[in-house]
Amino acid sequence: MANKKYGADIVTDSLVNHGVDLVFGIPGAKIDRLFETLEHPAEGQRVPKLVVARHEQNAAFMAQAFARITGKTGVVIATSGPGVGNLATGLMTATAESDPIVAIGGQVPRNDLYRLTHQSTNSVALFSPITNLASEIQDPNNISEIIANAFAAANGAKKGATFVSLPQDVDDAQVTIEALPKITPAQQGAAAIKDIDWLAEQIKAAKLPVLLVGSRGSDDATVTALHQLLKQTTLPVVETFQGAGVISRELEPETFFGRIGLFRNQTGDKLLKQSDLVITLGYDAIEYEPRNWNKENTLNIVALDTTPVQIDNNFVPQRQLVGDLAQSLRLLIERLNGYELPTTSKVVLKKLKADLRASDEPSYTPAQGNLNHPLDVIKSIQAHVTDDMTVSTDIGSHYIWMARHFKSYVARHYLISNGMQTLGVGLPWALAAAMVRPNAKSVSVSGDGGFFFSAMELETAVRLGLNTVHIVWNDNAYYDMVKFQEEMKYNGQSAGVKFGNIDLVKYAESFGAKGLRVETPDDLDTVLDEAFSTQGPVVVDIPVDYSHNYELGSQLIGSEG
């Protein structure tokens, strides 16, 4: 007699059919059969590998990093009530930052949906505003089709999170149907040929055309096509924070002019201001609002993207070239053969390149002998990181310094949250990177505030033996990114930014990780040498001097508004 099949089996079969080999989550009573199936599959049954996290929010962050790094769909599973509630920040972040995730949440049995029973909540209503699709399974025979549609919605022209609510009695129901096979997704062609012809003529006629590359321009196919274009036709490129790494080492000297994403005072901002043709490539307004980089509303903009842009007062492109970005770029390459920037533009770019290099040099000496200058910390991290490593940056003052000055030469090897600017992503992102890129060290950079938003996941890193280095910029227990901006706004005052100190070395050691501390700036390189040569999880405490952080938000071009 054939083995009985339950709703949980159809869920796992559907995941396998969609190529899912790794899922993240935390169990609970309302979804326990699914976890039993993942951990104890029947003989011959294929299931994804389960990674159990210490908090559902961090499990969602891990799924997000998995998606961003691999280009596949991340999957996270949580139980009902507070379990799914804890997914909200992770799913909101993934949707804002175009990372495809399918979240499966437990739910009370269908006959309890509208009763005041514990852990009963309208989770579909909770997630509808912050996902591409939120749906609840009401019939066991519909499990696979709803999951298939969740995968499709997560991987649309604008990728993001989706949510599927799985009532307990549907999870437990005996079924006779089979899971649907993966449906080949609809393919997008290049933008309209007449528009590509037009854009080529606009570039040839421009004095200083500039490419502004965003997160949707950082997938492998688009980056390959972009490199082909830049090798033939040298154009200046500005990255958004989430477009980091689209310019290779080979192309950097001639084409890279920095990143923009917070405070309008960077070399990239200066270049855009002088450009007479800004071509956005996979740029999403949430990465850096147009009211900042196009404050005066005078820029001539053309948008290349997979989806129509959101029009606003400072972002009204002359034309939108919507389609597959790699195909559109390859067609543009053919039409720009032989084009060179005008000599006058090359003079401007030479000055801006010098400005970019000068910004990487420290402008002050730390106030105390044991403190490290942020740029010195970045220089040391840079010297220890190779191109095959992944660096995940959390949110805080360190993120501004890192996003502006840390060089990355491979797309999606430098992970930044600049859509939601979500505190706590650094450590769980690094764990996911270590899982999917096991042959290279995975690095996270956090402040002491953000680190403790997700520091419990050190246990996950130790349990799985992950090869990670977690670098904590310690400013003596402040939420400094909030602090220095409040001080700029409120005549030197700040509020709600101080918390208690925790010994990072002892904390790390209590989990079974290695803890290191930089006692003086002279020890910085030596300590990082030890951290990067250690197998398994390492936490490095680096005291930093943030006394000049107000300068990060000074000397703005115009006003941020």
Side-chain angles (χ1 to χ4, degrees):
M1 182 177 177
N3 289 334
K4 294 178 181 178
K5 294 192 78 169
Y6 297 91
D9 297 302
I10 301 302
V11 173
T12 56
D13 289 351
S14 297
L15 296 179
V16 168
N17 289 353
H18 281 85
V20 176
D21 51 14
L22 193 64
V23 300
F24 306 89
I26 294 179
K30 302 301 188 296
I31 200 167
D32 54 10
R33 185 178 292 276
L34 178 53
F35 277 82
E36 286 289 320
T37 305
L38 288 167
E39 196 109 299
H40 307 293
E43 185 177 349
Q45 183 179 16
R46 292 175 58 210
V47 297
K49 178 182 177 181
L50 171 65
V51 174
V52 176
R54 298 304 300 257
H55 193 288
E56 292 90 352
Q57 177 172 295
N58 297 325
F61 290 153
M62 292 178 201
Q64 180 191 10
F66 173 90
R68 188 176 297 186
I69 292 168
T70 65
K72 301 177 182 179
T73 308
V75 175
V76 60
I77 305 173
T79 195
S80 54
V84 296
N86 285 339
L87 294 175
T89 297
L91 300 194
M92 177 173 60
T93 303
T95 300
E97 297 174 4
S98 297
D99 296 310
I101 292 179
V102 171
I104 300 172
Q107 179 60 286
V108 298
R110 286 168 292 178
N111 62 1
D112 274 345
L113 281 172
Y114 302 103
R115 290 183 177 142
L116 293 176
T117 185
H118 74 277
Q119 294 195 346
S120 178
T121 186
N122 189 345
S123 52
V124 170
L126 173 66
F127 288 108
S128 289
I130 57 173
T131 60
N132 289 359
L133 174 74
S135 182
E136 190 161 72
I137 302 170
Q138 292 295 322
D139 187 326
N141 290 321
N142 294 345
I143 292 173
S144 194
E145 68 180 40
I146 289 177
I147 290 176
N149 280 296
F151 274 89
N155 289 280
K158 191 176 187 303
K159 301 180 189 300
T162 59
F163 175 78
V164 175
S165 174
L166 178 65
Q168 184 178 19
D169 56 326
V170 174
D171 188 31
D172 287 339
Q174 290 190 33
V175 294
T176 56
I177 62 170
E178 297 295 326
L180 297 175
K182 181 181 180 180
I183 306 300
T184 301
Q187 298 298 304
Q188 197 173 46
I193 295 296
K194 65 177 183 179
D195 287 337
I196 295 173
D197 289 338
W198 172 86
L199 177 57
E201 294 306 313
Q202 295 298 304
I203 293 173
K204 292 174 182 177
K207 294 178 181 177
L208 187 53
V210 176
L211 286 167
L212 172 58
V213 184
S215 61
R216 283 194 293 275
S218 66
D219 64 277
D220 290 346
T222 303
V223 170
T224 298
L226 176 63
H227 288 182
Q228 292 169 350
L229 170 64
L230 296 175
K231 287 174 183 176
Q232 172 194 281
T233 306
T234 304
L235 295 171
V237 176
V238 176
E239 298 173 345
T240 66
F241 290 177
Q242 284 180 219
V246 300
I247 299 301
S248 64
R249 286 182 184 273
E250 175 191 4
L251 293 167
E252 182 200 24
E254 297 295 325
T255 64
F256 179 70
F257 286 85
R259 300 191 191 107
I260 57 172
L262 192 68
F263 303 126
R264 191 188 184 202
N265 56 12
Q266 294 301 285
T267 301
D269 293 298
K270 297 172 187 176
L271 174 55
L272 291 182
K273 183 176 173 61
Q274 296 181 59
S275 173
D276 59 343
L277 178 62
V278 176
I279 304 160
T280 63
L281 180 66
Y283 157 82
D284 196 305
I286 200 170
E287 299 181 72
Y288 185 38
E289 295 89 339
R291 67 173 179 260
N292 293 333
W293 59 269
N294 189 25
K295 176 67 177 178
E296 294 80 14
N297 209 13
T298 56
L299 294 181
N300 178 26
I301 301 169
V302 176
L304 273 73
D305 213 332
T306 59
T307 182
V309 307
Q310 183 184 68
I311 304 297
D312 73 24
N313 290 333
N314 297 88
F315 194 45
V316 185
Q318 270 202 71
R319 291 198 193 187
Q320 298 184 56
L321 281 66
V322 175
D324 180 89
L325 293 176
Q327 293 183 54
S328 297
L329 286 175
R330 285 194 291 269
L331 291 172
L332 189 60
I333 291 169
E334 299 172 9
R335 289 154 175 77
L336 289 178
N337 190 24
Y339 168 77
E340 285 192 20
L341 284 170
T343 302
T344 53
S345 297
K346 293 179 182 178
V347 173
V348 171
L349 293 176
K350 186 176 181 180
K351 292 179 180 178
L352 288 169
K353 194 70 171 180
D355 180 74
L356 182 63
R357 291 194 183 104
S359 71
D360 289 333
E361 297 302 320
S363 61
Y364 64 91
T365 301
Q368 298 177 36
N370 69 314
L371 300 182
N372 295 268
H373 192 291
L375 290 178
D376 290 333
V377 178
I378 291 172
K379 190 175 295 184
S380 186
I381 295 171
Q382 192 87 63
H384 287 84
V385 170
T386 56
D387 286 353
D388 58 343
M389 294 181 186
T390 308
V391 177
S392 304
T393 301
D394 212 318
I395 294 300
S397 290
H398 73 280
Y399 129 94
I400 308 174
W401 288 100
M402 286 287 293
R404 291 181 173 190
H405 300 285
F406 181 79
K407 304 296 189 299
S408 177
Y409 302 101
V410 184
R412 306 203 176 210
H413 278 62
Y414 182 31
L415 311 184
I416 302 177
S417 172
N418 208 46
M420 277 293 139
Q421 293 184 333
T422 302
L423 199 59
V425 296
L427 177 60
W429 280 4
L431 302 196
M435 294 175 210
V436 299
R437 292 175 177 155
N439 296 322
K441 192 76 77 174
S442 179
V443 182
S444 74
V445 183
S446 300
D448 51 339
F451 178 74
F452 285 106
F453 264 55
S454 50
M456 74 287 286
E457 298 302 339
L458 267 182
E459 186 279 323
T460 307
V462 170
R463 172 171 24 105
L464 300 178
L466 298 178
N467 207 11
T468 53
V469 176
H470 307 288
I471 298 171
V472 182
W473 293 29
N474 192 338
D475 68 324
N476 200 29
Y478 286 98
Y479 290 118
D480 188 78
M481 186 173 166
V482 178
K483 177 178 178 287
F484 86 81
Q485 291 184 77
E486 284 187 356
E487 288 171 350
M488 290 172 64
K489 289 169 67 177
Y490 301 111
N491 197 29
Q493 290 190 147
S494 61
V497 296
K498 179 66 176 170
F499 50 87
N501 257 318
I502 298 173
D503 189 316
L504 285 158
V505 171
K506 290 181 179 178
Y507 184 90
E509 291 172 346
S510 73
F511 282 85
K514 186 166 195 171
L516 299 170
R517 179 174 292 112
V518 176
E519 300 291 352
T520 70
D522 290 340
D523 298 333
L524 177 59
D525 288 335
T526 303
V527 171
L528 287 189
D529 285 345
E530 183 177 355
F532 277 79
S533 64
T534 299
Q535 290 296 114
V538 183
V539 176
V540 184
D541 178 1
I542 304 181
V544 294
D545 179 11
Y546 278 154
S547 62
H548 288 241
N549 269 6
Y550 65 90
E551 294 175 5
L552 294 172
S554 65
Q555 298 177 339
L556 301 182
I557 305 171
S559 172
E560 290 253 4

